Amino acid sequence: MGQFKENQLVDRLAAAAKAREATIARLRARPGADDPAVLARQAARRSVVQAREVRMAEREAARQAAEARRAAEEAAALERQAAEVARLAAERAEQQAQLAAAQKAARDARFAARKAKARR
């Protein structure tokens, strides 16, 4: 087993100063804002952002078109359903009118038969 080395205050201060210097050197080594590599990266980022916005706009347009198409299909289905209900109601009314006419004809025939029987 190795010996435990105690970190002295001077050693800790030296290590902190060395880390500070390394950070400063790294910051100084960074290219400036007018460096061609930086400008190229910024242009690439802008193009990626623009492409993303275009894709988002296309998706939104497609979603709105699909929503409009779905709404139109629902409206058409409701219209077909309303037309079917109206047709069924008209059929029912016609059947009831025919039934009423048949019942009236039968009633009139019975009445006429009673009258004819009473006249004899």
Side-chain angles (χ1 to χ4, degrees):
M1 216 183 224
Q3 281 185 313
F4 179 71
K5 182 178 177 187
E6 204 173 303
N7 230 2
Q8 299 294 326
L9 177 64
V10 175
D11 295 335
R12 289 195 312 260
L13 290 176
K18 192 174 180 183
R20 237 185 337 270
E21 287 298 319
T23 303
I24 290 172
R26 204 171 50 243
L27 288 175
R28 285 186 183 142
R30 280 185 21 186
D34 59 347
D35 188 67
V38 172
L39 295 176
R41 277 196 308 269
Q42 287 176 348
R45 283 188 198 124
R46 275 194 298 271
S47 68
V48 167
V49 167
Q50 288 172 350
R52 183 181 305 129
E53 288 173 354
V54 166
R55 287 191 311 268
M56 286 174 53
E58 288 172 350
R59 279 195 301 265
E60 179 65 20
R63 185 190 63 78
Q64 287 179 352
E67 187 174 313
R69 187 172 40 254
R70 183 185 54 76
E73 289 172 357
E74 285 180 5
L78 287 175
E79 285 180 21
R80 284 193 302 270
Q81 185 179 9
E84 181 67 18
V85 167
R87 185 186 63 78
L88 289 175
E91 270 184 23
R92 192 174 305 119
E94 183 180 335
Q95 288 173 352
Q96 287 177 348
Q98 288 175 352
L99 179 63
Q103 288 173 344
K104 183 175 183 327
R107 189 173 55 245
D108 289 346
R110 285 193 309 269
F111 182 71
R114 263 196 325 261
K115 284 264 199 180
K117 188 176 178 183
R119 283 190 197 149
R120 286 194 217 157

